[in-house]
Amino acid sequence: MDDANYMRRAITLASRTSPDILGMKVGALVVRDGEIVGEGSREFASRVYGHHDTPKPVAEPVLHAERVALYRAGGLARGSTLYVTLEPCIGIDSDSTMTHCTQLIAESGIVRVAVGMLDPNPRIQGRGLELLGRLGVEAYLVEGFDDMIQPLINVDPRREWRLAQKDWRRTVTSSGKSARAEAAALRKMRDAILSGEMMDEIEGDYHA
């Protein structure tokens, strides 16, 4: 199969994400010598590792699709290609203390990464591919899949609220033209604007 067919398989995996997994649906698979040797989507750690084979510490209850696929591929990941529907994370906007996906990919021995869509966050869009390149991994975008992947990454409102809080807390400490430009960019990527009494309460807590 070619890149497009493997990406379609990754999208199928993403679409099968358990309904109790909130947020983005992402799929990934590891290909070695033309065969899929590991695949998965975002999943709870206990369902991937099992109760008796869980690396310690597991800092997040839900594992990213790349981590699941690499775990299932095991040593066969070395020298292989990873296909993933969404650009791998670089650690920003994450509360996890686990190794971010770009670092994990490089450490696993993966030599090529094909992504179906860049991260929609304008602050980090393209930086996952850039970091992979600096880590010695060939990384590129497989064109033509945005329309298929976009519906899968519409996030849960609770996650949007948490990220919006983090973005606001970061921008209120800055001022000037660059800060206003960044704030405008953040508004474009959020689905709601918080105002009124609740905003005043947050601001009071932040400056307390």
Side-chain angles (χ1 to χ4, degrees):
M1 293 195 291
D2 58 12
D3 282 354
N5 286 323
Y6 286 125
M7 191 58 65
R8 291 189 187 95
R9 172 61 183 169
I11 292 171
T12 297
L13 291 168
S15 67
R16 295 175 181 173
T17 301
S18 301
D20 51 349
I21 300 292
L22 300 177
M24 296 182 177
K25 297 182 178 181
V26 180
L29 53 95
V30 178
V31 177
R32 182 184 178 92
D33 298 328
E35 293 192 13
I36 298 173
V37 296
E39 62 180 23
S41 59
R42 292 179 71 241
E43 188 55 275
F44 288 111
S46 61
R47 296 178 183 174
V48 177
Y49 300 134
H51 295 293
H52 304 293
D53 186 26
T54 305
K56 303 294 184 181
V58 174
E60 57 186 9
V62 178
L63 304 178
H64 287 193
E66 302 95 316
R67 185 177 295 273
V68 176
L70 290 171
Y71 175 78
R72 289 174 174 162
L76 293 176
R78 187 163 299 278
S80 299
T81 298
L82 174 71
Y83 291 85
V84 59
T85 55
L86 189 65
E87 183 177 14
C89 71
I90 60 174
I92 295 178
D93 281 346
S94 174
D95 293 326
S96 171
T97 59
M98 297 182 77
T99 303
H100 55 73
C101 289
T102 45
Q103 183 179 341
L104 180 68
I105 290 166
E107 292 175 351
S108 73
I110 287 287
V111 296
R112 295 171 66 242
V113 175
V115 305
M117 182 175 176
L118 297 178
D119 195 301
N121 186 332
R123 290 190 292 128
I124 57 178
Q125 188 174 90
R127 290 176 61 184
L129 297 188
E130 179 185 346
L131 180 55
L132 284 168
R134 294 204 305 268
L135 293 172
V137 180
E138 179 188 355
Y140 58 95
L141 176 69
V142 181
E143 302 280 357
F145 287 95
D146 281 18
D147 290 343
M148 297 177 66
I149 297 173
Q150 184 65 53
L152 298 173
I153 63 172
N154 291 328
V155 300
D156 181 84
R158 284 168 287 185
R159 180 177 182 275
E160 281 293 282
W161 159 245
R162 179 174 59 82
L163 293 181
Q165 278 186 298
K166 291 170 68 175
D167 286 336
W168 179 82
R169 289 174 187 273
R170 182 168 52 79
T171 55
V172 295
T173 60
S174 304
S175 61
K177 185 176 181 180
S178 61
R180 289 194 297 272
E182 182 179 11
L186 291 171
R187 290 191 189 100
K188 289 181 180 179
M189 56 180 284
R190 299 299 175 211
D191 295 327
I193 296 176
L194 182 67
S195 62
E197 182 179 348
M198 189 176 293
M199 190 67 171
D200 292 337
E201 180 179 342
I202 293 173
E203 184 175 7
D205 291 342
Y206 181 74
H207 290 293

